[in-house]
Protein backbone atom coordinates (compact mmCIF):
# COMPACT_ATOMS: atom_id res chain seq x y z
CA UNK A 1 0.00 0.00 0.00
CA UNK A 2 2.89 2.35 0.81
CA UNK A 3 4.28 1.77 -2.68
CA UNK A 4 1.00 2.75 -4.33
CA UNK A 5 0.56 5.90 -2.21
CA UNK A 6 4.16 7.09 -2.70
CA UNK A 7 4.08 6.32 -6.44
CA UNK A 8 0.81 8.22 -6.92
CA UNK A 9 2.15 11.19 -4.98
CA UNK A 10 5.38 11.33 -6.98
CA UNK A 11 3.66 10.83 -10.34
CA UNK A 12 0.93 13.30 -9.34
CA UNK A 13 3.48 16.01 -8.54
CA UNK A 14 5.30 15.48 -11.85
CA UNK A 15 2.07 15.54 -13.86
CA UNK A 16 0.87 18.66 -12.03
CA UNK A 17 4.15 20.49 -12.71
CA UNK A 18 4.12 19.44 -16.38
CA UNK A 19 0.55 20.56 -16.98
CA UNK A 20 1.11 23.73 -14.94
CA UNK A 21 3.88 24.61 -17.40
CA UNK A 22 1.42 24.33 -20.31
CA UNK A 23 -1.24 26.20 -18.34
CA UNK A 24 0.95 29.19 -17.43
CA UNK A 25 2.35 29.47 -20.96
CA UNK A 26 -1.16 29.32 -22.46
CA UNK A 27 -2.33 32.11 -20.17
CA UNK A 28 0.70 34.22 -21.06
CA UNK A 29 -0.08 33.76 -24.77
CA UNK A 30 -3.74 34.68 -24.28
CA UNK A 31 -5.14 31.19 -24.94
CA UNK A 32 -8.26 30.13 -23.09
CA UNK A 33 -7.76 27.02 -20.95
CA UNK A 34 -11.01 25.06 -20.77
CA UNK A 35 -9.89 22.16 -18.54
CA UNK A 36 -6.93 21.50 -16.22
CA UNK A 37 -7.07 17.83 -15.25
CA UNK A 38 -4.95 15.57 -13.10
CA UNK A 39 -5.63 12.13 -14.52
CA UNK A 40 -7.57 10.88 -17.53
CA UNK A 41 -11.06 9.52 -17.99
CA UNK A 42 -14.23 10.28 -16.01
CA UNK A 43 -14.19 13.25 -13.64
CA UNK A 44 -14.10 12.33 -9.94
CA UNK A 45 -14.30 15.85 -8.58
CA UNK A 46 -13.72 19.38 -9.79
CA UNK A 47 -14.69 23.03 -9.72
CA UNK A 48 -14.77 25.91 -12.15
CA UNK A 49 -13.00 29.20 -11.60
CA UNK A 50 -13.08 31.83 -14.30
CA UNK A 51 -13.02 30.21 -17.71
CA UNK A 52 -11.22 27.04 -16.55
CA UNK A 53 -12.57 23.85 -14.99
CA UNK A 54 -10.10 22.22 -12.58
CA UNK A 55 -10.68 18.51 -12.09
CA UNK A 56 -9.28 15.24 -10.80
CA UNK A 57 -10.05 12.33 -13.11
CA UNK A 58 -10.30 8.57 -12.57
CA UNK A 59 -7.02 7.32 -14.09
CA UNK A 60 -4.07 8.97 -12.29
CA UNK A 61 -1.24 7.99 -14.69
CA UNK A 62 -1.42 11.16 -16.72
CA UNK A 63 -3.14 14.49 -17.06
CA UNK A 64 -3.97 17.16 -19.59
CA UNK A 65 -4.72 20.79 -20.26
CA UNK A 66 -7.57 21.28 -22.73
CA UNK A 67 -7.03 24.44 -24.76
CA UNK A 68 -9.75 26.33 -26.56
CA UNK A 69 -9.56 25.69 -30.30
CA UNK A 70 -6.76 23.14 -29.91
CA UNK A 71 -8.09 20.16 -31.86
CA UNK A 72 -8.81 20.32 -35.62
CA UNK A 73 -12.38 19.06 -35.25
CA UNK A 74 -13.27 21.96 -32.89
CA UNK A 75 -12.16 24.74 -35.26
CA UNK A 76 -15.54 25.20 -37.02
CA UNK A 77 -17.12 26.05 -33.65
CA UNK A 78 -14.46 28.57 -32.61
CA UNK A 79 -15.99 32.00 -31.97
CA UNK A 80 -13.22 33.81 -30.04
CA UNK A 81 -10.31 33.42 -32.44
CA UNK A 82 -8.06 35.65 -30.31
CA UNK A 83 -8.31 33.06 -27.51
CA UNK A 84 -7.98 29.95 -29.69
CA UNK A 85 -4.75 27.94 -29.72
CA UNK A 86 -4.96 27.09 -33.43
CA UNK A 87 -5.03 30.76 -34.47
CA UNK A 88 -1.95 31.77 -32.50
CA UNK A 89 1.41 32.33 -34.19
CA UNK A 90 3.64 29.30 -34.61
CA UNK A 91 6.19 30.49 -32.04
CA UNK A 92 3.40 31.05 -29.50
CA UNK A 93 2.05 27.53 -30.00
CA UNK A 94 5.57 26.11 -29.74
CA UNK A 95 6.15 28.05 -26.50
CA UNK A 96 2.96 26.64 -24.97
CA UNK A 97 3.90 23.09 -25.97
CA UNK A 98 7.54 23.23 -24.84
CA UNK A 99 6.64 24.79 -21.48
CA UNK A 100 5.38 21.44 -20.13
CA UNK A 101 8.72 19.63 -20.53
CA UNK A 102 10.54 22.82 -19.53
CA UNK A 103 8.69 22.76 -16.20
CA UNK A 104 9.90 19.19 -15.71
CA UNK A 105 13.48 20.45 -16.02
CA UNK A 106 12.93 23.45 -13.74
CA UNK A 107 11.53 21.25 -10.94
CA UNK A 108 14.65 19.05 -10.55
CA UNK A 109 16.89 22.11 -10.61
CA UNK A 110 14.88 23.49 -7.68
CA UNK A 111 14.84 20.14 -5.85
CA UNK A 112 18.58 19.51 -6.27
CA UNK A 113 19.26 23.14 -5.32
CA UNK A 114 17.36 22.60 -2.08
CA UNK A 115 19.09 19.26 -1.42
CA UNK A 116 22.61 20.57 -2.06
CA UNK A 117 21.97 23.69 0.01
CA UNK A 118 20.30 22.01 3.00
CA UNK A 119 21.97 18.60 3.21
CA UNK A 120 25.14 19.15 1.16
CA UNK A 121 26.90 16.35 -0.72
CA UNK A 122 28.11 12.97 0.53
CA UNK A 123 30.93 11.82 -1.72
CA UNK A 124 33.24 8.83 -1.85
CA UNK A 125 36.73 10.22 -1.33
CA UNK A 126 39.11 10.21 -4.29
CA UNK A 127 41.89 8.85 -2.08
CA UNK A 128 43.36 5.55 -3.23
CA UNK A 129 42.98 2.81 -0.65
CA UNK A 130 44.63 -0.02 -2.56
CA UNK A 131 46.72 -0.38 -5.70
CA UNK A 132 46.32 -3.80 -7.32
CA UNK A 133 49.51 -5.75 -8.04
CA UNK A 134 50.90 -5.60 -11.59
CA UNK A 135 48.18 -3.11 -12.61
CA UNK A 136 48.64 0.01 -14.77
CA UNK A 137 48.37 2.09 -11.58
CA UNK A 138 51.21 0.19 -9.86
CA UNK A 139 53.38 0.40 -12.98
CA UNK A 140 52.78 4.17 -13.08
CA UNK A 141 53.87 4.54 -9.46
CA UNK A 142 50.54 5.28 -7.77
CA UNK A 143 50.36 4.41 -4.07
CA UNK A 144 47.75 4.11 -1.31
CA UNK A 145 46.97 7.53 0.13
CA UNK A 146 47.33 9.35 -3.19
CA UNK A 147 44.35 11.63 -3.81
CA UNK A 148 43.16 11.86 -7.41
CA UNK A 149 42.31 15.46 -8.32
CA UNK A 150 41.87 15.37 -12.10
CA UNK A 151 41.52 12.79 -14.86
CA UNK A 152 42.44 13.92 -18.38
CA UNK A 153 42.05 17.55 -17.33
CA UNK A 154 38.59 17.00 -15.82
CA UNK A 155 38.29 17.63 -12.09
CA UNK A 156 36.86 14.66 -10.19
CA UNK A 157 35.11 15.32 -6.91
CA UNK A 158 34.49 11.69 -5.96
CA UNK A 159 35.82 8.20 -6.65
CA UNK A 160 32.47 7.43 -8.28
CA UNK A 161 33.17 10.14 -10.87
CA UNK A 162 36.45 8.45 -11.77
CA UNK A 163 34.74 5.08 -12.16
CA UNK A 164 31.90 6.66 -14.17
CA UNK A 165 34.40 8.33 -16.49
CA UNK A 166 36.18 5.04 -17.20
CA UNK A 167 32.94 3.06 -17.60
CA UNK A 168 31.64 5.60 -20.10
CA UNK A 169 34.60 4.88 -22.39
CA UNK A 170 35.07 1.73 -24.42
CA UNK A 171 38.74 2.44 -24.97
CA UNK A 172 41.14 4.92 -23.40
CA UNK A 173 44.62 5.08 -24.92
CA UNK A 174 46.11 7.12 -22.12
CA UNK A 175 44.96 8.62 -18.85
CA UNK A 176 46.60 11.68 -17.33
CA UNK A 177 45.97 11.81 -13.60
CA UNK A 178 46.72 14.79 -11.41
CA UNK A 179 47.22 13.52 -7.87
CA UNK A 180 47.96 15.01 -4.47
CA UNK A 181 50.60 13.16 -2.46
CA UNK A 182 51.15 14.82 0.89
CA UNK A 183 51.91 18.45 0.09
CA UNK A 184 52.93 17.67 -3.51
CA UNK A 185 50.76 17.80 -6.63
CA UNK A 186 51.97 15.38 -9.31
CA UNK A 187 50.93 14.35 -12.80
CA UNK A 188 50.96 10.65 -13.67
CA UNK A 189 50.38 9.11 -17.08
CA UNK A 190 49.19 5.54 -17.47
CA UNK A 191 47.69 3.31 -20.15
CA UNK A 192 44.60 1.43 -18.89
CA UNK A 193 44.09 -2.25 -19.58
CA UNK A 194 40.86 -3.36 -21.20
CA UNK A 195 38.95 -5.93 -19.16
CA UNK A 196 35.52 -7.48 -19.23
CA UNK A 197 33.09 -5.54 -17.07
CA UNK A 198 29.88 -3.52 -17.07
CA UNK A 199 29.43 -0.08 -18.56
CA UNK A 200 27.48 2.76 -16.97
CA UNK A 201 24.20 1.27 -18.30
CA UNK A 202 24.82 -2.17 -16.80
CA UNK A 203 25.64 -3.85 -20.10
CA UNK A 204 28.42 -6.45 -20.11
CA UNK A 205 31.24 -5.11 -22.22
CA UNK A 206 34.95 -4.28 -22.12
CA UNK A 207 35.93 -1.30 -20.00
CA UNK A 208 39.22 0.48 -19.21
CA UNK A 209 40.87 -0.73 -15.99
CA UNK A 210 43.60 1.12 -14.06
CA UNK A 211 43.74 -1.01 -10.90
CA UNK A 212 42.93 1.17 -7.90
CA UNK A 213 40.39 0.81 -5.10
CA UNK A 214 38.86 3.50 -2.93
CA UNK A 215 39.50 4.01 0.78
CA UNK A 216 35.67 3.94 1.20
CA UNK A 217 36.00 7.21 3.10
CA UNK A 218 32.86 9.36 2.85
CA UNK A 219 33.37 13.10 2.65
CA UNK A 220 30.54 15.48 3.57
CA UNK A 221 30.67 18.77 1.70
CA UNK A 222 28.51 21.77 2.56
CA UNK A 223 27.48 24.20 -0.17
CA UNK A 224 26.43 27.83 -0.13
CA UNK A 225 23.26 29.13 -1.72
CA UNK A 226 24.86 30.08 -5.07
CA UNK A 227 27.18 27.06 -5.27
CA UNK A 228 24.24 24.74 -4.59
CA UNK A 229 22.36 26.29 -7.52
CA UNK A 230 25.33 25.73 -9.85
CA UNK A 231 25.67 22.12 -8.69
CA UNK A 232 21.93 21.57 -9.28
CA UNK A 233 22.21 22.75 -12.88
CA UNK A 234 25.28 20.54 -13.43
CA UNK A 235 23.40 17.57 -11.95
CA UNK A 236 20.40 18.05 -14.25
CA UNK A 237 22.70 18.43 -17.27
CA UNK A 238 24.53 15.20 -16.34
CA UNK A 239 21.26 13.28 -15.93
CA UNK A 240 19.94 14.67 -19.22
CA UNK A 241 23.12 13.69 -21.06
CA UNK A 242 23.09 10.14 -19.68
CA UNK A 243 19.40 9.76 -20.52
CA UNK A 244 19.92 10.81 -24.14
CA UNK A 245 22.87 8.41 -24.41
CA UNK A 246 20.68 5.62 -23.00
CA UNK A 247 17.90 6.41 -25.51
CA UNK A 248 20.43 6.31 -28.35
CA UNK A 249 21.72 2.96 -27.13
CA UNK A 250 18.15 1.66 -26.94
CA UNK A 251 17.64 2.74 -30.55
CA UNK A 252 20.87 1.07 -31.71
CA UNK A 253 20.22 -2.10 -29.69
CA UNK A 254 23.25 -1.65 -27.41
CA UNK A 255 20.86 -1.38 -24.47
CA UNK A 256 18.13 -4.04 -24.27
CA UNK A 257 14.51 -2.90 -24.33
CA UNK A 258 13.88 -5.05 -21.26
CA UNK A 259 15.68 -2.39 -19.17
CA UNK A 260 12.70 -0.06 -19.60
CA UNK A 261 10.17 0.02 -16.80
CA UNK A 262 6.62 1.28 -16.49
CA UNK A 263 4.39 2.42 -13.63
CA UNK A 264 5.00 -0.73 -11.58
CA UNK A 265 8.77 -0.26 -11.77
CA UNK A 266 8.40 3.42 -10.87
CA UNK A 267 6.15 2.47 -7.97
CA UNK A 268 8.63 -0.04 -6.58
CA UNK A 269 11.53 2.36 -6.93
CA UNK A 270 9.52 5.13 -5.27
CA UNK A 271 8.59 2.83 -2.37
CA UNK A 272 12.19 1.63 -1.93
CA UNK A 273 13.51 5.19 -2.06
CA UNK A 274 10.91 6.47 0.41
CA UNK A 275 12.20 3.96 2.96
CA UNK A 276 15.62 5.63 2.75
CA UNK A 277 14.16 8.98 3.79
CA UNK A 278 12.67 12.23 2.59
CA UNK A 279 15.81 13.57 0.87
CA UNK A 280 16.42 10.43 -1.23
CA UNK A 281 12.76 10.54 -2.30
CA UNK A 282 13.18 14.17 -3.43
CA UNK A 283 16.27 13.14 -5.40
CA UNK A 284 14.36 10.29 -7.05
CA UNK A 285 11.50 12.66 -7.91
CA UNK A 286 13.98 15.05 -9.52
CA UNK A 287 15.51 12.21 -11.56
CA UNK A 288 12.08 11.05 -12.70
CA UNK A 289 11.09 14.60 -13.62
CA UNK A 290 14.09 14.94 -15.96
CA UNK A 291 13.17 11.65 -17.62
CA UNK A 292 9.55 12.77 -18.05
CA UNK A 293 10.69 16.01 -19.64
CA UNK A 294 12.97 14.19 -22.08
CA UNK A 295 10.34 11.60 -23.01
CA UNK A 296 7.84 14.33 -23.78
CA UNK A 297 10.36 16.03 -26.07
CA UNK A 298 10.77 12.92 -28.23
CA UNK A 299 9.59 13.63 -31.81
CA UNK A 300 6.63 11.24 -31.61
CA UNK A 301 3.10 12.30 -32.58
CA UNK A 302 0.88 13.06 -29.56
CA UNK A 303 3.92 13.90 -27.42
CA UNK A 304 5.04 17.51 -27.04
CA UNK A 305 8.06 16.80 -29.23
CA UNK A 306 5.75 15.60 -32.00
CA UNK A 307 3.79 18.84 -31.84
CA UNK A 308 7.04 20.81 -32.11
CA UNK A 309 7.97 18.86 -35.25
CA UNK A 310 4.59 19.72 -36.79
CA UNK A 311 5.01 23.40 -35.90
CA UNK A 312 8.49 23.34 -37.49
CA UNK A 313 7.01 21.90 -40.69
CA UNK A 314 4.31 24.56 -40.66
CA UNK A 315 6.92 27.28 -40.18
CA UNK A 316 8.88 26.00 -43.18
CA UNK A 317 5.75 25.61 -45.34
CA UNK A 318 4.34 28.91 -44.02
CA UNK A 319 0.93 27.34 -43.78
CA UNK A 320 -0.66 24.73 -41.48
CA UNK A 321 -0.98 21.07 -42.37
CA UNK A 322 -4.39 19.96 -43.56
CA UNK A 323 -6.85 18.64 -40.97
CA UNK A 324 -6.77 15.23 -42.65
CA UNK A 325 -2.96 15.07 -42.38
CA UNK A 326 -3.01 16.15 -38.75
CA UNK A 327 -5.62 13.53 -37.89
CA UNK A 328 -3.55 10.82 -39.61
CA UNK A 329 -0.39 11.89 -37.76
CA UNK A 330 -2.12 11.77 -34.39
CA UNK A 331 -3.69 8.37 -35.11
CA UNK A 332 -0.22 7.01 -35.88
CA UNK A 333 1.10 8.64 -32.72
CA UNK A 334 -1.70 7.13 -30.64
CA UNK A 335 -0.83 3.67 -31.96
CA UNK A 336 2.89 4.15 -31.16
CA UNK A 337 2.18 5.37 -27.62
CA UNK A 338 -0.17 2.44 -26.94
CA UNK A 339 2.41 -0.03 -28.30
CA UNK A 340 5.16 1.45 -26.09
CA UNK A 341 2.86 1.43 -23.06
CA UNK A 342 2.04 -2.25 -23.60
CA UNK A 343 5.77 -3.02 -23.97
CA UNK A 344 6.79 -1.38 -20.67
CA UNK A 345 3.83 -2.97 -18.85
CA UNK A 346 4.98 -6.31 -20.27
CA UNK A 347 8.46 -5.69 -18.83
CA UNK A 348 6.91 -4.88 -15.45
CA UNK A 349 4.82 -8.06 -15.46
CA UNK A 350 7.87 -10.19 -16.37
CA UNK A 351 9.75 -8.70 -13.42
CA UNK A 352 6.89 -9.52 -11.07
CA UNK A 353 6.62 -13.10 -12.39
CA UNK A 354 10.37 -13.57 -11.92
CA UNK A 355 9.99 -13.01 -8.19
CA UNK A 356 10.43 -9.25 -8.02
CA UNK A 357 8.33 -8.16 -5.03
CA UNK A 358 6.81 -4.83 -4.22
CA UNK A 359 7.56 -3.39 -0.76
Amino acid sequence: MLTVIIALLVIGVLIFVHELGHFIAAKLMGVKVEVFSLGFGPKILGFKKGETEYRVSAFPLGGYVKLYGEHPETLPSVVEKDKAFAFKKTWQKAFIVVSGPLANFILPVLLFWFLFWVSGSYLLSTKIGEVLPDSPAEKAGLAPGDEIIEVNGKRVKSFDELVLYLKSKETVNEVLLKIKRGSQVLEVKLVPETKEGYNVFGKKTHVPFIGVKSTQEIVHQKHGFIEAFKLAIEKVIDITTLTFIALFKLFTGDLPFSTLGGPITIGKMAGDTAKLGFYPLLSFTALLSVNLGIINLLPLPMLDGGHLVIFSIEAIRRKPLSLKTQELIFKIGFFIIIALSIAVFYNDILKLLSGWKLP
Side-chain angles (χ1 to χ4, degrees), residues 207-229:
V207 295
F209 166 82
I210 64 174
V212 295
K213 290 185 178 180
S214 167
T215 59
Q216 300 300 313
E217 175 188 350
I218 301 296
V219 179
H220 179 218
Q221 293 184 342
K222 293 183 178 181
H223 306 292
F225 192 72
I226 302 300
E227 185 188 9
F229 180 68

Side-chain angles (χ1 to χ4, degrees), residues 109-123:
V109 169
L110 296 177
L111 291 178
F112 282 129
W113 187 9
F114 171 78
L115 289 170
F116 283 131
W117 183 39
V118 173
S119 64
S121 303
Y122 291 88
L123 306 173

Side-chain angles (χ1 to χ4, degrees), residues 25-321:
K27 289 290 188 180
L28 288 174
M29 295 298 104
V31 174
K32 178 181 177 180
V33 180
E34 296 183 317
V35 178
F36 185 111
S37 176
L38 287 179
F40 292 113
K43 180 176 72 174
I44 297 177
L45 54 92
F47 64 93
K48 189 166 184 177
K49 185 175 180 180
E51 57 188 11
T52 306
E53 181 187 2
Y54 302 88
R55 64 171 68 162
V56 176
S57 300
F59 305 110
L61 300 179
Y64 64 92
V65 169
K66 183 181 178 184
L67 304 177
Y68 178 63
E70 176 183 5
H71 301 291
E73 63 271 15
T74 65
L75 297 186
S77 62
V78 168
V79 177
E80 301 173 281
K81 288 188 176 182
D82 60 318
K83 291 186 176 182
F85 176 81
F87 293 100
K88 292 296 179 180
K89 295 177 181 178
T90 300
W91 72 265
Q92 292 176 309
K93 292 190 288 186
F95 174 70
I96 293 170
V97 168
V98 81
S99 291
L102 180 61
N104 284 125
F105 285 101
I106 293 173
L107 175 64
V109 169
L110 296 177
L111 291 178
F112 282 129
W113 187 9
F114 171 78
L115 289 170
F116 283 131
W117 183 39
V118 173
S119 64
S121 303
Y122 291 88
L123 306 173
L124 191 60
S125 170
T126 58
K127 283 185 181 179
I128 297 174
E130 181 183 353
V131 178
L132 300 182
D134 201 33
S135 65
E138 185 185 58
K139 293 174 184 176
L142 291 179
D146 289 345
E147 183 179 354
I148 300 172
I149 302 172
E150 291 182 3
V151 53
N152 285 351
K154 181 182 184 298
R155 184 167 181 82
V156 285
K157 300 171 187 173
S158 70
F159 201 86
D160 291 330
E161 278 192 26
L162 173 64
V163 174
L164 186 64
Y165 174 84
L166 292 173
K167 283 190 173 185
S168 66
K169 312 288 183 181
E170 291 186 2
T171 57
V172 177
N173 296 326
E174 186 177 75
V175 170
L176 176 62
L177 296 177
K178 184 178 283 187
I179 64 168
K180 186 177 180 182
R181 180 178 293 170
S183 59
Q184 293 181 302
V185 175
L186 309 171
E187 287 190 346
V188 177
K189 289 183 180 179
L190 56 84
V191 178
E193 296 176 3
T194 301
K195 289 195 173 185
E196 191 173 73
Y198 295 89
N199 64 16
V200 68
F201 301 105
K203 182 184 177 182
K204 198 170 185 179
T205 183
H206 289 85
V207 295
F209 166 82
I210 64 174
V212 295
K213 290 185 178 180
S214 167
T215 59
Q216 300 300 313
E217 175 188 350
I218 301 296
V219 179
H220 179 218
Q221 293 184 342
K222 293 183 178 181
H223 306 292
F225 192 72
I226 302 300
E227 185 188 9
F229 180 68
K230 292 178 181 177
L231 288 172
I233 293 176
E234 289 176 7
K235 183 77 170 177
V236 171
I237 290 173
D238 288 343
I239 294 171
T240 302
T241 302
L242 282 173
T243 305
F244 274 116
I245 292 173
L247 287 172
F248 176 75
K249 289 186 176 292
L250 275 171
F251 180 76
T252 58
D254 289 335
L255 195 63
F257 193 80
S258 58
T259 56
L260 288 183
I264 296 175
T265 298
I266 293 171
K268 183 181 186 303
M269 292 177 69
D272 289 343
T273 308
K275 289 180 179 180
L276 299 176
F278 179 66
Y279 290 164
L281 182 60
L282 285 185
S283 183
F284 173 73
T285 302
L287 173 66
L288 204 58
S289 187
V290 174
N291 279 265
L292 180 61
I294 291 172
I295 288 170
N296 272 281
L297 285 174
L298 294 179
L300 295 175
M302 288 194 72
L303 295 181
D304 294 327
H307 287 284
L308 292 174
V309 171
I310 291 174
F311 296 151
S312 298
I313 294 172
E314 290 180 351
I316 294 170
R317 297 175 74 241
R318 296 188 178 182
K319 63 179 180 179
L321 297 172

